[in-house]
Amino acid sequence: MSDTDASSHPSPEQVAAAFYGSYNGDLADGFERYIAKDLVLHGFDGPDERSAWLAGDLELKASLTGYRLDVLDHIAQGDKVVTRWVINGVHTGTILGIPPSGREVRLSGISIDRVVDGQSVEHWSEGNFGRFLDLLRGEATANIR
């Protein structure tokens, strides 16, 4: 690839910033623009394909009133970007079959994206998903009592 071709795409850090920023706006458009159709997912017990990842994150977003994803850090090296993030909101909708609790919840994690030609082609993610789900279940149970 020539220098001219490389400069026609945003940097990996710019791609990551725009993609994670789309979590607070049009997430489906963020996936369309910044996540490759043939994305390879690694390293978490979540979805194993792009469409399932998007569907799960849209469900999470819809279940939390006041939903917000905040990026704590972006660290870029070469074609990889590490992003530390946190999601906050009030659990007002059913998620993964867990009824709403009405309480504030928080999910934090770290993701790595390998960016080529303006899109993430590989994605690794780790978070406190088990703790988050336990919290949702506990809060939902407490409201039923």
Side-chain angles (χ1 to χ4, degrees), residues 47-99:
D48 59 2
E49 61 181 38
R50 180 185 184 274
S51 62
W53 176 21
L54 173 58
D57 283 3
L58 286 172
E59 179 184 22
L60 175 62
K61 187 174 180 176
S63 74
L64 300 177
T65 297
Y67 173 98
R68 179 156 182 85
L69 182 142
D70 290 310
V71 170
L72 305 174
D73 296 299
H74 283 301
I75 302 167
Q77 182 176 10
D79 63 357
K80 291 191 178 100
V81 181
V82 177
T83 304
R84 279 191 327 118
W85 49 265
V86 62
I87 293 171
N88 291 289
V90 178
H91 181 212
T92 56
T94 299
I95 180 136
L96 300 172
I98 302 169

Tab-separated table of all heavy atoms in Angstrom, residues 47-99:
chain	number	residue	atom	x	y	z
A	47	PRO	N	-20.723	-13.446	22.189
A	47	PRO	CA	-21.042	-13.896	20.835
A	47	PRO	C	-19.786	-14.248	20.059
A	47	PRO	O	-18.708	-13.733	20.332
A	47	PRO	CB	-21.733	-12.664	20.229
A	47	PRO	CG	-21.299	-11.519	21.067
A	47	PRO	CD	-21.021	-12.052	22.421
A	48	ASP	N	-19.953	-15.144	19.112
A	48	ASP	CA	-18.801	-15.548	18.303
A	48	ASP	C	-18.906	-15.042	16.865
A	48	ASP	O	-18.132	-15.428	16.009
A	48	ASP	CB	-18.613	-17.060	18.331
A	48	ASP	CG	-19.818	-17.818	17.824
A	48	ASP	OD1	-20.814	-17.191	17.413
A	48	ASP	OD2	-19.762	-19.055	17.827
A	49	GLU	N	-19.868	-14.159	16.608
A	49	GLU	CA	-19.970	-13.552	15.283
A	49	GLU	C	-20.466	-12.111	15.418
A	49	GLU	O	-21.125	-11.749	16.396
A	49	GLU	CB	-20.854	-14.355	14.349
A	49	GLU	CG	-22.274	-14.493	14.803
A	49	GLU	CD	-23.104	-15.332	13.846
A	49	GLU	OE1	-22.596	-16.325	13.301
A	49	GLU	OE2	-24.268	-14.957	13.638
A	50	ARG	N	-20.135	-11.332	14.414
A	50	ARG	CA	-20.412	-9.894	14.414
A	50	ARG	C	-21.883	-9.573	14.678
A	50	ARG	O	-22.211	-8.702	15.487
A	50	ARG	CB	-19.952	-9.338	13.065
A	50	ARG	CG	-20.154	-7.866	12.844
A	50	ARG	CD	-19.735	-7.545	11.384
A	50	ARG	NE	-19.788	-6.149	11.073
A	50	ARG	CZ	-20.895	-5.521	10.654
A	50	ARG	NH1	-22.033	-6.186	10.513
A	50	ARG	NH2	-20.844	-4.234	10.364
A	51	SER	N	-22.793	-10.240	13.983
A	51	SER	CA	-24.221	-9.930	14.115
A	51	SER	C	-24.732	-10.203	15.528
A	51	SER	O	-25.556	-9.443	16.048
A	51	SER	CB	-25.045	-10.704	13.083
A	51	SER	OG	-24.917	-12.099	13.295
A	52	ALA	N	-24.249	-11.251	16.160
A	52	ALA	CA	-24.660	-11.556	17.531
A	52	ALA	C	-24.100	-10.522	18.514
A	52	ALA	O	-24.763	-10.155	19.488
A	52	ALA	CB	-24.222	-12.961	17.921
A	53	TRP	N	-22.874	-10.066	18.263
A	53	TRP	CA	-22.278	-9.017	19.105
A	53	TRP	C	-23.136	-7.759	19.034
A	53	TRP	O	-23.519	-7.177	20.057
A	53	TRP	CB	-20.844	-8.758	18.655
A	53	TRP	CG	-20.128	-7.635	19.353
A	53	TRP	CD1	-20.419	-7.077	20.574
A	53	TRP	CD2	-18.999	-6.912	18.856
A	53	TRP	NE1	-19.529	-6.075	20.862
A	53	TRP	CE2	-18.652	-5.940	19.824
A	53	TRP	CE3	-18.250	-7.001	17.691
A	53	TRP	CZ2	-17.578	-5.069	19.655
A	53	TRP	CZ3	-17.182	-6.128	17.532
A	53	TRP	CH2	-16.850	-5.179	18.504
A	54	LEU	N	-23.482	-7.326	17.816
A	54	LEU	CA	-24.305	-6.136	17.648
A	54	LEU	C	-25.668	-6.325	18.322
A	54	LEU	O	-26.124	-5.449	19.063
A	54	LEU	CB	-24.485	-5.803	16.168
A	54	LEU	CG	-25.463	-4.665	15.850
A	54	LEU	CD1	-25.060	-3.363	16.528
A	54	LEU	CD2	-25.596	-4.489	14.341
A	55	ALA	N	-26.326	-7.448	18.097
A	55	ALA	CA	-27.646	-7.684	18.684
A	55	ALA	C	-27.587	-7.637	20.210
A	55	ALA	O	-28.450	-7.044	20.861
A	55	ALA	CB	-28.195	-9.033	18.215
A	56	GLY	N	-26.568	-8.252	20.795
A	56	GLY	CA	-26.431	-8.249	22.251
A	56	GLY	C	-26.202	-6.862	22.803
A	56	GLY	O	-26.785	-6.482	23.833
A	57	ASP	N	-25.372	-6.073	22.126
A	57	ASP	CA	-25.100	-4.720	22.610
A	57	ASP	C	-26.301	-3.798	22.417
A	57	ASP	O	-26.554	-2.918	23.237
A	57	ASP	CB	-23.841	-4.156	21.962
A	57	ASP	CG	-22.576	-4.734	22.580
A	57	ASP	OD1	-22.678	-5.611	23.481
A	57	ASP	OD2	-21.481	-4.331	22.169
A	58	LEU	N	-27.069	-3.999	21.347
A	58	LEU	CA	-28.303	-3.225	21.170
A	58	LEU	C	-29.318	-3.582	22.256
A	58	LEU	O	-30.020	-2.703	22.767
A	58	LEU	CB	-28.886	-3.456	19.776
A	58	LEU	CG	-28.144	-2.784	18.626
A	58	LEU	CD1	-28.698	-3.255	17.279
A	58	LEU	CD2	-28.199	-1.259	18.736
A	59	GLU	N	-29.399	-4.873	22.616
A	59	GLU	CA	-30.305	-5.289	23.690
A	59	GLU	C	-29.883	-4.654	25.013
A	59	GLU	O	-30.715	-4.153	25.773
A	59	GLU	CB	-30.322	-6.816	23.819
A	59	GLU	CG	-31.242	-7.299	24.934
A	59	GLU	CD	-31.211	-8.800	25.147
A	59	GLU	OE1	-30.218	-9.458	24.756
A	59	GLU	OE2	-32.180	-9.309	25.736
A	60	LEU	N	-28.590	-4.672	25.298
A	60	LEU	CA	-28.085	-4.050	26.524
A	60	LEU	C	-28.429	-2.562	26.543
A	60	LEU	O	-28.946	-2.039	27.535
A	60	LEU	CB	-26.569	-4.242	26.630
A	60	LEU	CG	-25.886	-3.535	27.810
A	60	LEU	CD1	-26.400	-4.064	29.139
A	60	LEU	CD2	-24.379	-3.688	27.708
A	61	LYS	N	-28.171	-1.887	25.444
A	61	LYS	CA	-28.445	-0.454	25.353
A	61	LYS	C	-29.926	-0.163	25.580
A	61	LYS	O	-30.280	0.773	26.304
A	61	LYS	CB	-27.985	0.058	23.981
A	61	LYS	CG	-28.066	1.541	23.812
A	61	LYS	CD	-27.455	1.971	22.491
A	61	LYS	CE	-27.557	3.482	22.350
A	61	LYS	NZ	-26.912	3.984	21.157
A	62	ALA	N	-30.803	-0.970	25.000
A	62	ALA	CA	-32.247	-0.764	25.140
A	62	ALA	C	-32.743	-1.052	26.552
A	62	ALA	O	-33.768	-0.511	26.973
A	62	ALA	CB	-32.996	-1.645	24.133
A	63	SER	N	-32.024	-1.871	27.311
A	63	SER	CA	-32.482	-2.258	28.648
A	63	SER	C	-32.052	-1.284	29.738
A	63	SER	O	-32.479	-1.422	30.885
A	63	SER	CB	-31.974	-3.664	28.990
A	63	SER	OG	-30.589	-3.642	29.273
A	64	LEU	N	-31.210	-0.313	29.388
A	64	LEU	CA	-30.690	0.622	30.389
A	64	LEU	C	-31.111	2.055	30.060
A	64	LEU	O	-30.693	2.615	29.051
A	64	LEU	CB	-29.162	0.555	30.461
A	64	LEU	CG	-28.542	-0.790	30.825
A	64	LEU	CD1	-27.020	-0.694	30.791
A	64	LEU	CD2	-29.024	-1.266	32.187
A	65	THR	N	-31.930	2.645	30.909
A	65	THR	CA	-32.288	4.045	30.764
A	65	THR	C	-31.086	4.890	31.177
A	65	THR	O	-30.417	4.588	32.161
A	65	THR	CB	-33.515	4.375	31.631
A	65	THR	OG1	-34.615	3.598	31.161
A	65	THR	CG2	-33.865	5.854	31.566
A	66	GLY	N	-30.832	5.926	30.413
A	66	GLY	CA	-29.666	6.762	30.687
A	66	GLY	C	-28.369	6.091	30.286
A	66	GLY	O	-27.290	6.470	30.742
A	67	TYR	N	-28.473	5.087	29.433
A	67	TYR	CA	-27.313	4.331	28.964
A	67	TYR	C	-26.213	5.271	28.498
A	67	TYR	O	-26.465	6.232	27.778
A	67	TYR	CB	-27.752	3.435	27.803
A	67	TYR	CG	-26.622	2.726	27.107
A	67	TYR	CD1	-26.312	1.417	27.423
A	67	TYR	CD2	-25.867	3.366	26.132
A	67	TYR	CE1	-25.277	0.760	26.789
A	67	TYR	CE2	-24.826	2.723	25.492
A	67	TYR	CZ	-24.538	1.422	25.826
A	67	TYR	OH	-23.505	0.786	25.197
A	68	ARG	N	-25.006	4.969	28.908
A	68	ARG	CA	-23.848	5.738	28.453
A	68	ARG	C	-22.609	4.873	28.516
A	68	ARG	O	-22.376	4.186	29.508
A	68	ARG	CB	-23.652	6.961	29.332
A	68	ARG	CG	-22.457	7.787	28.924
A	68	ARG	CD	-22.571	9.220	29.358
A	68	ARG	NE	-21.413	9.947	28.898
A	68	ARG	CZ	-21.283	10.496	27.698
A	68	ARG	NH1	-22.273	10.410	26.841
A	68	ARG	NH2	-20.202	11.143	27.350
A	69	LEU	N	-21.824	4.893	27.436
A	69	LEU	CA	-20.513	4.254	27.426
A	69	LEU	C	-19.478	5.369	27.470
A	69	LEU	O	-19.506	6.282	26.639
A	69	LEU	CB	-20.309	3.404	26.173
A	69	LEU	CG	-18.956	2.670	26.132
A	69	LEU	CD1	-19.119	1.280	25.542
A	69	LEU	CD2	-17.906	3.447	25.367
A	70	ASP	N	-18.602	5.302	28.460
A	70	ASP	CA	-17.502	6.258	28.569
A	70	ASP	C	-16.198	5.528	28.320
A	70	ASP	O	-15.959	4.452	28.890
A	70	ASP	CB	-17.470	6.895	29.957
A	70	ASP	CG	-18.640	7.838	30.177
A	70	ASP	OD1	-18.867	8.703	29.319
A	70	ASP	OD2	-19.334	7.694	31.201
A	71	VAL	N	-15.365	6.108	27.469
A	71	VAL	CA	-14.033	5.581	27.214
A	71	VAL	C	-13.096	6.178	28.254
A	71	VAL	O	-13.037	7.400	28.416
A	71	VAL	CB	-13.564	5.923	25.784
A	71	VAL	CG1	-12.094	5.588	25.598
A	71	VAL	CG2	-14.419	5.187	24.764
A	72	LEU	N	-12.397	5.302	28.968
A	72	LEU	CA	-11.444	5.746	29.975
A	72	LEU	C	-10.071	5.964	29.370
A	72	LEU	O	-9.360	6.886	29.773
A	72	LEU	CB	-11.381	4.725	31.114
A	72	LEU	CG	-12.734	4.407	31.769
A	72	LEU	CD1	-12.582	3.291	32.780
A	72	LEU	CD2	-13.337	5.646	32.384
A	73	ASP	N	-9.680	5.110	28.424
A	73	ASP	CA	-8.372	5.203	27.763
A	73	ASP	C	-8.438	4.579	26.384
A	73	ASP	O	-9.155	3.604	26.179
A	73	ASP	CB	-7.294	4.394	28.510
A	73	ASP	CG	-6.983	4.887	29.885
A	73	ASP	OD1	-6.549	6.038	30.001
A	73	ASP	OD2	-7.164	4.113	30.843
A	74	HIS	N	-7.658	5.140	25.470
A	74	HIS	CA	-7.303	4.496	24.205
A	74	HIS	C	-5.780	4.461	24.182
A	74	HIS	O	-5.130	5.486	24.386
A	74	HIS	CB	-7.733	5.309	22.976
A	74	HIS	CG	-9.167	5.246	22.627
A	74	HIS	ND1	-9.843	4.083	22.336
A	74	HIS	CD2	-10.083	6.234	22.500
A	74	HIS	CE1	-11.085	4.369	22.043
A	74	HIS	NE2	-11.266	5.659	22.142
A	75	ILE	N	-5.218	3.298	23.932
A	75	ILE	CA	-3.771	3.168	23.784
A	75	ILE	C	-3.525	2.463	22.458
A	75	ILE	O	-3.987	1.340	22.257
A	75	ILE	CB	-3.153	2.356	24.945
A	75	ILE	CG1	-3.476	3.026	26.279
A	75	ILE	CG2	-1.643	2.218	24.751
A	75	ILE	CD1	-3.197	2.156	27.486
A	76	ALA	N	-2.833	3.148	21.559
A	76	ALA	CA	-2.617	2.608	20.221
A	76	ALA	C	-1.154	2.252	20.019
A	76	ALA	O	-0.258	2.958	20.470
A	76	ALA	CB	-3.040	3.633	19.171
A	77	GLN	N	-0.964	1.121	19.348
A	77	GLN	CA	0.375	0.711	18.922
A	77	GLN	C	0.214	-0.008	17.589
A	77	GLN	O	-0.446	-1.055	17.511
A	77	GLN	CB	1.030	-0.208	19.942
A	77	GLN	CG	2.443	-0.603	19.547
A	77	GLN	CD	3.123	-1.441	20.624
A	77	GLN	OE1	2.502	-1.886	21.578
A	77	GLN	NE2	4.397	-1.660	20.450
A	78	GLY	N	0.780	0.562	16.554
A	78	GLY	CA	0.649	-0.034	15.231
A	78	GLY	C	-0.807	-0.086	14.815
A	78	GLY	O	-1.517	0.913	14.890
A	79	ASP	N	-1.264	-1.282	14.418
A	79	ASP	CA	-2.647	-1.420	13.965
A	79	ASP	C	-3.602	-1.849	15.079
A	79	ASP	O	-4.765	-2.113	14.827
A	79	ASP	CB	-2.736	-2.388	12.785
A	79	ASP	CG	-2.303	-3.812	13.121
A	79	ASP	OD1	-1.868	-4.072	14.260
A	79	ASP	OD2	-2.397	-4.670	12.217
A	80	LYS	N	-3.119	-1.889	16.335
A	80	LYS	CA	-3.966	-2.305	17.458
A	80	LYS	C	-4.258	-1.119	18.381
A	80	LYS	O	-3.411	-0.272	18.625
A	80	LYS	CB	-3.306	-3.427	18.244
A	80	LYS	CG	-3.246	-4.718	17.463
A	80	LYS	CD	-2.831	-5.865	18.345
A	80	LYS	CE	-2.819	-7.147	17.545
A	80	LYS	NZ	-1.488	-7.520	17.121
A	81	VAL	N	-5.497	-1.109	18.900
A	81	VAL	CA	-5.921	-0.088	19.856
A	81	VAL	C	-6.560	-0.791	21.044
A	81	VAL	O	-7.468	-1.612	20.880
A	81	VAL	CB	-6.939	0.893	19.243
A	81	VAL	CG1	-7.329	1.964	20.260
A	81	VAL	CG2	-6.388	1.525	17.984
A	82	VAL	N	-6.064	-0.468	22.234
A	82	VAL	CA	-6.637	-0.967	23.482
A	82	VAL	C	-7.565	0.120	24.013
A	82	VAL	O	-7.177	1.287	24.097
A	82	VAL	CB	-5.533	-1.279	24.518
A	82	VAL	CG1	-6.144	-1.734	25.832
A	82	VAL	CG2	-4.562	-2.312	23.972
A	83	THR	N	-8.775	-0.269	24.367
A	83	THR	CA	-9.766	0.673	24.880
A	83	THR	C	-10.297	0.165	26.212
A	83	THR	O	-10.806	-0.957	26.289
A	83	THR	CB	-10.939	0.831	23.892
A	83	THR	OG1	-10.426	1.224	22.618
A	83	THR	CG2	-11.944	1.854	24.387
A	84	ARG	N	-10.153	0.986	27.256
A	84	ARG	CA	-10.820	0.708	28.541
A	84	ARG	C	-12.106	1.514	28.544
A	84	ARG	O	-12.107	2.696	28.230
A	84	ARG	CB	-9.950	1.146	29.729
A	84	ARG	CG	-8.891	0.173	30.100
A	84	ARG	CD	-8.209	0.504	31.440
A	84	ARG	NE	-8.092	1.906	31.769
A	84	ARG	CZ	-8.666	2.490	32.837
A	84	ARG	NH1	-9.390	1.796	33.691
A	84	ARG	NH2	-8.492	3.781	33.058
A	85	TRP	N	-13.218	0.857	28.899
A	85	TRP	CA	-14.524	1.490	28.816
A	85	TRP	C	-15.378	1.118	30.021
A	85	TRP	O	-15.109	0.139	30.713
A	85	TRP	CB	-15.236	1.104	27.521
A	85	TRP	CG	-15.231	-0.377	27.246
A	85	TRP	CD1	-14.343	-1.056	26.461
A	85	TRP	CD2	-16.120	-1.375	27.777
A	85	TRP	NE1	-14.629	-2.397	26.466
A	85	TRP	CE2	-15.714	-2.619	27.266
A	85	TRP	CE3	-17.198	-1.333	28.635
A	85	TRP	CZ2	-16.375	-3.815	27.588
A	85	TRP	CZ3	-17.857	-2.529	28.967
A	85	TRP	CH2	-17.445	-3.740	28.422
A	86	VAL	N	-16.423	1.910	30.244
A	86	VAL	CA	-17.404	1.612	31.281
A	86	VAL	C	-18.783	2.013	30.755
A	86	VAL	O	-18.929	3.030	30.076
A	86	VAL	CB	-17.077	2.330	32.617
A	86	VAL	CG1	-17.101	3.838	32.464
A	86	VAL	CG2	-17.995	1.876	33.728
A	87	ILE	N	-19.764	1.160	31.034
A	87	ILE	CA	-21.157	1.419	30.662
A	87	ILE	C	-21.948	1.615	31.950
A	87	ILE	O	-21.810	0.832	32.899
A	87	ILE	CB	-21.749	0.237	29.861
A	87	ILE	CG1	-21.053	0.133	28.493
A	87	ILE	CG2	-23.261	0.385	29.698
A	87	ILE	CD1	-21.403	-1.123	27.712
A	88	ASN	N	-22.765	2.649	31.966
A	88	ASN	CA	-23.632	2.934	33.108
A	88	ASN	C	-25.057	3.130	32.619
A	88	ASN	O	-25.275	3.544	31.483
A	88	ASN	CB	-23.192	4.231	33.810
A	88	ASN	CG	-21.871	4.090	34.501
A	88	ASN	OD1	-21.755	3.411	35.511
A	88	ASN	ND2	-20.842	4.734	33.949
A	89	GLY	N	-26.015	2.858	33.491
A	89	GLY	CA	-27.414	3.114	33.191
A	89	GLY	C	-28.287	2.549	34.292
A	89	GLY	O	-27.798	1.917	35.237
A	90	VAL	N	-29.570	2.785	34.158
A	90	VAL	CA	-30.554	2.264	35.104
A	90	VAL	C	-31.261	1.094	34.430
A	90	VAL	O	-31.791	1.234	33.319
A	90	VAL	CB	-31.560	3.351	35.527
A	90	VAL	CG1	-32.617	2.773	36.472
A	90	VAL	CG2	-30.830	4.519	36.197
A	91	HIS	N	-31.274	-0.046	35.097
A	91	HIS	CA	-31.820	-1.291	34.545
A	91	HIS	C	-33.356	-1.221	34.531
A	91	HIS	O	-34.013	-1.564	35.502
A	91	HIS	CB	-31.312	-2.460	35.408
A	91	HIS	CG	-31.778	-3.794	34.958
A	91	HIS	ND1	-32.000	-4.820	35.843
A	91	HIS	CD2	-32.043	-4.288	33.738
A	91	HIS	CE1	-32.388	-5.896	35.188
A	91	HIS	NE2	-32.422	-5.589	33.909
A	92	THR	N	-33.920	-0.765	33.383
A	92	THR	CA	-35.371	-0.599	33.259
A	92	THR	C	-36.005	-1.511	32.219
A	92	THR	O	-37.213	-1.458	32.021
A	92	THR	CB	-35.712	0.868	32.904
A	92	THR	OG1	-35.015	1.224	31.705
A	92	THR	CG2	-35.330	1.815	34.042
A	93	GLY	N	-35.211	-2.321	31.565
A	93	GLY	CA	-35.746	-3.243	30.567
A	93	GLY	C	-35.175	-4.633	30.787
A	93	GLY	O	-34.119	-4.800	31.396
A	94	THR	N	-35.876	-5.631	30.289
A	94	THR	CA	-35.410	-7.012	30.420
A	94	THR	C	-34.183	-7.220	29.542
A	94	THR	O	-34.160	-6.804	28.387
A	94	THR	CB	-36.529	-7.990	30.014
A	94	THR	OG1	-37.630	-7.779	30.899
A	94	THR	CG2	-36.064	-9.433	30.102
A	95	ILE	N	-33.171	-7.854	30.115
A	95	ILE	CA	-31.965	-8.203	29.360
A	95	ILE	C	-31.591	-9.633	29.695
A	95	ILE	O	-31.563	-10.018	30.870
A	95	ILE	CB	-30.791	-7.245	29.619
A	95	ILE	CG1	-29.580	-7.686	28.806
A	95	ILE	CG2	-30.437	-7.132	31.068
A	95	ILE	CD1	-28.842	-6.654	28.120
A	96	LEU	N	-31.366	-10.430	28.659
A	96	LEU	CA	-31.018	-11.847	28.818
A	96	LEU	C	-32.023	-12.558	29.727
A	96	LEU	O	-31.666	-13.406	30.516
A	96	LEU	CB	-29.592	-11.983	29.364
A	96	LEU	CG	-28.502	-11.376	28.482
A	96	LEU	CD1	-27.169	-11.387	29.214
A	96	LEU	CD2	-28.408	-12.113	27.157
A	97	GLY	N	-33.284	-12.163	29.613
A	97	GLY	CA	-34.341	-12.766	30.418
A	97	GLY	C	-34.410	-12.261	31.849
A	97	GLY	O	-35.247	-12.725	32.625
A	98	ILE	N	-33.564	-11.316	32.228
A	98	ILE	CA	-33.546	-10.780	33.596
A	98	ILE	C	-34.454	-9.554	33.637
A	98	ILE	O	-34.219	-8.576	32.936
A	98	ILE	CB	-32.111	-10.403	34.023
A	98	ILE	CG1	-31.197	-11.630	33.931
A	98	ILE	CG2	-32.113	-9.823	35.434
A	98	ILE	CD1	-29.723	-11.316	34.064
A	99	PRO	N	-35.516	-9.605	34.455
A	99	PRO	CA	-36.461	-8.479	34.496
A	99	PRO	C	-35.816	-7.227	35.087
A	99	PRO	O	-34.842	-7.301	35.828
A	99	PRO	CB	-37.601	-8.983	35.387
A	99	PRO	CG	-37.074	-10.156	36.107
A	99	PRO	CD	-35.909	-10.693	35.341
